[in-house]
Amino acid sequence: MMASGIVFLCCNCCLKARHAQSLSCSVPIFPVQVSRMMWAQIKDLNFDIMCGVPYTALPIATCMSLGFGLPMVMRRKEVKDYGTKKAIEGAYSAGQRCLIVEDLVTSGASVLE
């Protein structure tokens, strides 16, 4: 099903919380449009930096960062044993408030990890 540039998928799947669930979720065709819709909801929040949760939310967070001039960091799902070897890439300071951008939230377990 398609409405306003977003494809809605309906499926049965096993979520990270290890229980099966009938699920309706949206997959953006146009991350820029989705980032604008998200921005309209969060623009008045008080934060210093943003971070997209790997992997699906990264393009949305990137569009928000570029489109609205917001600083962004990237959290690696797997830390590499080469390069910078960091779990978080980008410039940030202790004490900054971070907006976590996620595309689908059920229990929040992935974000906490």
Side-chain angles (χ1 to χ4, degrees):
M1 174 190 295
M2 185 169 155
S4 303
I6 297 176
V7 175
F8 293 93
L9 301 175
C10 297
C11 61
N12 290 317
C13 62
C14 182
L15 301 175
K16 185 160 184 92
R18 303 278 188 243
H19 63 283
Q21 181 173 339
S22 180
L23 179 66
S24 295
C25 58
S26 61
V27 178
I29 293 175
F30 304 110
V32 172
Q33 282 185 312
V34 173
S35 71
R36 289 178 183 156
M37 289 187 290
M38 284 183 154
W39 176 252
Q41 299 299 311
I42 58 96
K43 65 184 176 187
D44 295 326
L45 295 178
N46 190 12
F47 61 94
D48 304 305
I49 198 163
M50 58 190 312
C51 181
V53 176
Y55 289 102
T56 310
L58 284 174
I60 297 168
T62 301
C63 287
M64 288 174 67
S65 176
L66 294 172
F68 300 102
L70 305 167
M72 179 185 146
V73 294
M74 183 189 85
R75 180 191 156 279
R76 291 191 179 278
K77 195 165 189 159
E78 303 88 19
V79 177
K80 309 283 186 198
D81 61 353
Y82 55 89
T84 64
K85 301 180 183 179
K86 294 181 181 179
I88 300 174
E89 297 287 351
Y92 63 94
S93 302
Q96 286 185 307
R97 292 169 304 245
C98 184
L99 173 74
I100 305 297
V101 179
E102 178 64 284
D103 62 318
L104 175 68
V105 176
T106 52
S107 68
S110 294
V111 175
L112 291 174
E113 289 175 1

